[in-house]
Amino acid sequence: MPFANFDALLASVAPLEDIPVAVVDAAEEHVLRGACEAKQQSIIEPILIGDEKRIRQLLGEMGIPASGASCPNFQIIDVPDSVAAAEKGVEMVLSGAVKAIMKGHLHSDAFLHPILAQLRTERRLSHIFVADLQTYPKLLLISDAAINISPDLLAKAAILQNAIDLAHILDVAEPKAAILSAVEVINPAIPSTVDAACLSKMAERGQIQGALVDGPLAFDNAISRESAEIKGIHSAVAGDADILIVPDLVSGNILAKDLEYLAGATLAGIVMGAKVPVILTSRADPARARLVSAALAALVHYRILETRE
């Protein structure tokens, strides 16, 4: 049965063995709170990479000893800067010391540079936001809002397949994927509508597998049955989407952050397609977003990546 919300996701991951996770550039309060909470809830075993003196200072100011009952036995690896922290995290992945890597308080490009250079697989890397909204009856996946800037058709197909695979991990047996544009009809003057139609046909022909796919759909009729009915859209996806595939990074980033800041969504962020789960959140994200992202990475590890080892 699909996870109804993030509380259900956290409850399902807690009994699993904690996976070791490299937390890259960990010397920031929100990062440390998220890592400590994930450890306390028995989700991950965080290894903190960064300025050790600053990390210990922050833990002390937060009332969390680096070693103690509230958050015992933190391993801290001292490095001089964020670039070195990212390189160390990737090194630990390659050595097998960690099973996932988490972005801390550094820019995404600095975090991703060594990952893109050394942790690629045959799959395309793409980022997926998973949103928990009180105003929507299920978890909502949004991709890609962080890595692929202006994806072409084949890149969108790979992005969509990664999102479908993650939906399966979240126990959605046949996810409904809406390919978004500004309108729900094909208009050659709006290239994203043509891409959306092609993706829908590719799914029909088995080039994309495991989901019901429809597009182009505008955002309103992708998530609102009432809107779809008013516009006369007859679709198994319209009004009931599990996945939203956006035209480009800019529109996806705006959509996700609108949901977070105006609609009260909690967003978990993960990169699919790498050798290990990559936990990618915003530097401004609260501790709970990092906690749920860690749980998502643990679930991906146990349901996909571990079976390949």
Side-chain angles (χ1 to χ4, degrees), residues 111-297:
F111 174 67
L112 290 170
H113 180 74
I115 292 172
L116 292 169
Q118 300 183 68
L119 299 184
R120 287 181 181 272
T121 67
E122 72 282 359
R123 303 288 294 267
R124 188 179 191 92
L125 270 66
S126 62
H127 180 269
I128 304 165
F129 275 123
V130 183
D132 186 353
L133 290 138
Q134 291 188 354
T135 53
Y136 201 66
K138 54 187 175 179
L139 297 178
L140 186 63
L141 281 62
I142 303 166
S143 191
D144 182 337
I147 292 183
N148 294 278
I149 298 173
S150 298
D152 60 16
L153 176 61
L154 291 180
K156 288 179 180 178
I159 289 166
L160 173 56
Q161 191 65 65
N162 278 346
I164 293 168
D165 292 347
L166 181 59
H168 290 164
I169 291 170
L170 292 169
D171 290 336
V172 183
E174 191 176 40
K176 299 177 181 180
I179 316 301
L180 297 186
S181 186
V183 294
E184 61 277 354
V185 295
I186 298 169
N187 182 344
I190 306 176
S192 59
T193 66
V194 179
D195 283 352
C198 290
L199 291 169
S200 298
K201 183 57 69 175
M202 290 170 74
E204 287 182 15
R205 299 291 169 86
Q207 291 175 270
I208 298 165
Q209 298 183 344
L212 295 174
V213 180
D214 196 13
L217 290 170
F219 177 74
D220 58 344
N221 45 64
I223 54 93
S224 167
R225 278 200 175 95
E226 181 181 5
S227 174
E229 290 171 0
I230 291 171
K231 292 186 176 182
I233 299 171
H234 304 289
S235 164
V237 174
D240 193 33
D242 298 285
I243 299 168
L244 302 178
I245 300 298
V246 297
D248 53 43
L249 181 148
V250 172
S251 57
N253 196 274
I254 292 171
L255 171 59
K257 289 180 179 177
D258 276 351
L259 293 177
E260 181 179 14
Y261 285 93
L262 295 179
T266 300
L267 298 178
I270 191 167
V271 175
M272 299 286 285
K275 292 180 180 179
V276 297
V278 178
I279 303 165
L280 181 57
T281 55
S282 169
R283 286 176 296 157
D285 278 344
R288 181 167 173 82
R290 299 175 190 277
L291 169 68
V292 179
S293 298
L296 193 59

Side-chain angles (χ1 to χ4, degrees), residues 56-74:
R56 292 189 182 279
Q57 178 186 346
L58 285 168
L59 288 171
E61 292 173 357
M62 294 158 53
I64 302 171
S67 179
S70 63
C71 202
N73 302 323
F74 264 135

Side-chain angles (χ1 to χ4, degrees), residues 3-42:
F3 297 106
N5 50 46
F6 283 160
D7 287 340
L9 171 62
L10 291 168
S12 73
V13 172
L16 302 174
E17 184 178 350
D18 300 2
I19 64 169
V21 174
V23 183
V24 173
D25 199 7
E28 195 277 332
E29 181 177 345
H30 289 97
V31 176
L32 292 173
R33 288 195 184 280
C36 191
E37 189 172 352
K39 184 178 177 70
Q40 287 175 313
Q41 294 200 27
S42 190

